[in-house]
Amino acid sequence: LEAEESLQRAFTLDPTNPFVSYHLGQLYILMGDKVRSRSYFETAMENSANHIDLENRTRPATLQEAGSTFFST
């Protein structure tokens, strides 16, 4: 996927950018890859200390909507 390649390239250039991690997490949800999705969402949360808007979007929109069954492995 072109989107995956572009986001992975951006992540390689700046792995602390929470927006890139967030969008990778969203992409992997769509692809059905729970493990990768969770990893990128966790990275986004860890790096979002100065990005309150991202943290507010990540928690309710992704973690709660996905539900605990989404992340069960």
Side-chain angles (χ1 to χ4, degrees), residues 9-62:
R9 198 172 359 194
F11 184 79
T12 300
L13 292 172
D14 186 3
T16 63
N17 184 322
F19 296 98
V20 173
S21 298
Y22 172 79
H23 288 292
L24 278 164
Q26 290 285 23
L27 176 68
Y28 288 122
I29 279 179
L30 294 173
M31 294 173 68
D33 190 334
K34 298 176 192 179
V35 175
R36 283 176 120 177
S37 175
R38 182 177 188 161
S39 174
Y40 283 108
F41 283 132
E42 288 174 351
T43 300
M45 296 278 291
E46 289 169 7
N47 293 315
S48 68
N50 295 323
H51 299 282
I52 294 169
D53 181 53
L54 177 68
E55 186 171 344
N56 290 337
R57 275 192 287 162
T58 303
R59 286 181 196 229
T62 305

